[in-house]
Amino acid sequence: MVIKKFLYLSSSIVVLATTTSLTTLEEDKPVSYPKYLEYNIPYLQKNFVAFKQAVAFKESQGRYTVVNTLGYLGKYQFGRTTLERLNIYNTRDFLLNPELQEQAFIALCKVNKWILRKDIKRSVGKVINGITITESGILAAAHLSGAGNVKNYLRSNGKDCFSDAYGTTIKSYLKKFGGYDVSNIEADKNAKA
């Protein structure tokens, strides 16, 4: 017991002495601090780039060539009928073309924003089922379920809640993807990829 106390005190003194000697600075030497760099990391911001990446990660972990068990395709998991709406008919080429997938996501956001323009105006800022409704949440929910199902949800004050084949709900997308700045997306009913 006495030996343990001695070892403990000895090690404490050594640590204290080491720490003290490390904090002593020579006054004659100038201290150079690292230059401040302003990093612009999109996924740490709440802008459209971060929104796209968050949706992509939820849909496919951001992988362009993924096809899920229901046949949804690519980084954003598009259905074939949605792709046809955007004038994309060759799904093989679509899977192998990351640029086209990014263009398709933007085009779909524009179309959904046009379809939901009145609901966005009426609903943004309201609280439904404990979730503050935002424009980005609405666009993400429309990506999940289609604009019509989002209209039904908002107009029923959350009573009519769609869920996909895997059990993901409009409500969960409204919450998860709320608060991003998607103001750079302009509503366009004729948007194509």
Side-chain angles (χ1 to χ4, degrees):
M1 185 70 137
V2 174
I3 294 174
K4 283 184 182 177
K5 285 183 182 179
F6 176 77
L7 288 174
Y8 176 75
L9 287 173
S10 299
S11 63
S12 297
I13 292 170
V14 170
V15 169
L16 182 61
T18 306
T19 306
T20 306
S21 65
L22 290 174
T23 58
T24 308
L25 294 175
E26 295 178 31
E27 291 182 27
D28 297 340
K29 280 188 168 181
V31 177
S32 64
Y33 295 99
K35 183 178 178 183
Y36 174 73
L37 298 173
E38 185 175 326
Y39 292 102
N40 186 13
I41 303 173
Y43 52 84
L44 293 179
Q45 299 174 12
K46 293 289 252 182
N47 59 18
F48 184 70
V49 172
F51 172 74
K52 284 191 334 170
Q53 296 312 317
V55 171
F57 188 78
K58 173 69 173 141
E59 294 290 329
S60 71
Q61 287 85 41
R63 296 176 293 162
Y64 287 103
T65 57
V66 171
V67 179
N68 77 7
T69 58
L70 300 173
Y72 288 85
L73 306 153
K75 182 177 179 180
Y76 301 101
Q77 294 292 282
F78 283 94
R80 292 175 198 278
T81 55
T82 301
L83 290 175
E84 289 171 5
R85 163 76 173 83
L86 302 173
N87 284 347
I88 300 169
Y89 300 97
N90 187 326
T91 56
R92 185 177 180 284
D93 287 349
F94 176 76
L95 283 173
L96 298 175
N97 190 337
E99 186 176 327
L100 181 59
Q101 290 188 40
E102 297 298 332
Q103 291 170 354
F105 183 77
I106 292 168
L108 183 60
C109 286
K110 289 178 176 185
V111 169
N112 284 336
K113 191 168 184 175
W114 184 83
I115 294 168
L116 293 162
R117 66 196 181 283
K118 292 177 184 173
D119 295 280
I120 289 170
K121 191 173 185 178
R122 281 189 288 247
S123 301
V124 168
K126 287 174 81 175
V127 176
I128 299 176
N129 292 329
I131 298 166
T132 302
I133 304 301
T134 66
E135 187 175 345
S136 61
I138 290 172
L139 291 180
H143 183 79
L144 170 74
S145 67
N149 286 315
V150 175
K151 277 185 181 188
N152 293 340
Y153 180 87
L154 295 172
R155 293 177 184 183
S156 71
N157 204 32
K159 290 179 179 73
D160 187 1
C161 189
F162 170 90
S163 62
D164 72 3
Y166 298 113
T168 306
T169 64
I170 288 175
K171 179 181 173 183
S172 70
Y173 265 48
L174 286 168
K175 182 176 181 180
K176 183 172 187 66
F177 300 107
Y180 289 89
D181 179 6
V182 293
S183 60
N184 63 316
I185 294 298
E186 293 182 20
D188 180 0
K189 73 176 181 176
N190 298 314
K192 305 291 182 208

